[in-house]
Amino acid sequence: LTDVQIWPLPEWDLDGTCEIRIDRLTLRTAALDELDRLRLKLQAAGATVPDVCLPEEPRGALAMAGLGGLDIPRLTLDVDYDIRSSGAEVELFATIKDVASAALTADFEYIWVDGRDDMEEPDPVVFLNDATLRVENLGLWSVLQNMVPPEFTNPDNAALVIEGMLGGMLAEANRDTAPDGMTGDPSALTDAQRDFLSSVAASWPAFLRNPETIVIETAIDGDVYLDFELFEDDPRYVFDTLRPVVALAPASTARMLPVALLQQALGDASGMSIEDRRTVGLA
């Protein structure tokens, strides 16, 4: 489809002036003979979203950044669902001009619904293997850093400041949602929450020195059940289930072969140790 115009009519747009334009919209599905596979790939090129389409708070942030809307050169949604196993892979990528680009990937071991109690509103049954959100700065940080208190933008002491602030917020959330009759300190952080704070404290100063990319990903072994009702009520469960960590690059990047080792293996490998040969061979 070309020259697409969409009027979503959000509740705050009383005059109906919110008009989303897309230069080119492409929709792809699985081949007709792939009966055991559901595939949906949506690609949008040249999309523009005026500020009136956004709620009040994001609209204010855009105004402070000097933007009258969102210019989205590329937006891609890719959902690949295997019917036999009920497993799925989901990828969402978007680039916002002069702001940021974001890529969200998720690998699900199992997705289906349980309608035994209520078929009209079945409960989702989801098992997650891993998920990663990667955000690349394309100008957003140059605007945000002027709005953030200096103690959060000084790489020499930002780690302690942000770790203390986030730690306090998590402790308060734990205390507010602690079950009645809970023994011990209701505000105590779990191991997963402490790991998250440590990763933030390590990554944030590095990002300040080179504000390019920040990554949030799950540090789980895979095949983890997601109870969405508990997600809303228990911050401990959220962290203990997803075990999120912050870094400057996905963990998979750290597992890549060093360039020097790869060059040696492709050239004269006679001087390589047995361990290096094994590392390259496995890769």
Side-chain angles (χ1 to χ4, degrees):
L1 304 174
T2 58
D3 297 327
V4 179
Q5 296 169 263
I6 304 171
W7 289 269
L9 300 176
E11 59 183 17
W12 56 83
D13 180 24
L14 301 179
D15 299 327
T17 54
C18 169
E19 178 186 345
I20 299 175
R21 289 178 172 265
I22 303 174
D23 291 342
R24 182 180 180 87
L25 187 65
T26 305
L27 180 65
R28 295 186 177 92
T29 62
L32 295 177
D33 60 349
E34 294 184 282
L35 301 179
D36 59 348
R37 183 184 183 199
L38 295 176
R39 180 81 184 271
L40 174 65
K41 186 169 186 178
L42 179 69
Q43 292 178 304
T48 55
V49 182
D51 57 359
V52 70
C53 296
L54 303 175
E56 184 175 355
E57 291 187 4
R59 199 184 318 150
L62 278 182
M64 296 180 68
L67 299 174
L70 300 178
D71 184 352
I72 307 174
R74 179 186 170 197
L75 173 66
T76 301
L77 172 64
D78 193 345
V79 179
D80 194 347
Y81 185 82
D82 182 71
I83 296 178
R84 290 178 297 180
S85 67
S86 293
E89 294 181 355
V90 179
E91 296 183 9
L92 176 63
F93 177 85
T95 296
I96 303 177
K97 185 179 179 181
D98 298 329
V99 178
S101 68
L104 173 65
T105 61
D107 179 14
F108 296 94
E109 182 72 17
Y110 184 91
I111 296 182
W112 196 236
V113 293
D114 180 3
R116 290 174 294 181
D117 294 333
D118 185 356
M119 199 59 203
E120 296 296 327
E121 297 183 6
D123 298 320
V125 181
V126 179
F127 287 81
L128 177 68
N129 283 327
D130 60 73
T132 301
L133 172 63
R134 176 173 177 167
V135 180
E136 181 182 356
N137 173 40
L138 299 179
L140 176 64
W141 178 242
S142 62
V143 175
L144 291 181
Q145 65 181 350
N146 298 323
M147 308 177 191
V148 178
E151 56 267 27
F152 291 98
T153 59
N154 183 349
D156 295 330
N157 57 17
L160 292 175
V161 174
I162 198 167
E163 187 175 14
M165 182 194 71
L166 288 178
M169 294 171 61
L170 288 176
E172 182 179 358
N174 286 350
R175 184 171 55 252
D176 293 343
T177 58
D180 296 337
M182 178 180 178
T183 59
D185 182 6
S187 63
L189 303 185
T190 67
D191 290 342
Q193 289 174 327
R194 285 192 291 269
D195 290 343
F196 172 75
L197 289 178
S198 298
S199 70
V200 173
S203 302
W204 184 244
F207 174 79
L208 292 176
R209 293 185 176 94
N210 185 23
E212 292 185 357
T213 304
I214 198 80
V215 174
I216 304 175
E217 62 183 339
T218 57
I220 56 181
D221 294 333
D223 201 8
V224 173
Y225 173 66
L226 307 183
D227 188 326
F228 293 103
E229 290 188 5
L230 285 179
F231 272 17
E232 300 177 1
D233 302 328
D234 190 348
R236 297 177 186 81
Y237 175 79
V238 175
F239 281 87
D240 291 348
T241 301
L242 298 178
R243 306 194 71 85
V245 292
V246 178
L248 299 187
S252 57
T253 302
R255 295 192 293 267
M256 294 176 65
L257 283 178
V259 174
L261 186 61
L262 181 59
Q263 290 175 332
Q264 187 178 6
L266 294 174
D268 182 7
S270 60
M272 294 180 65
S273 67
I274 296 297
E275 185 60 32
D276 285 346
R277 289 169 183 258
R278 181 177 184 274
T279 298
V280 175
L282 290 174

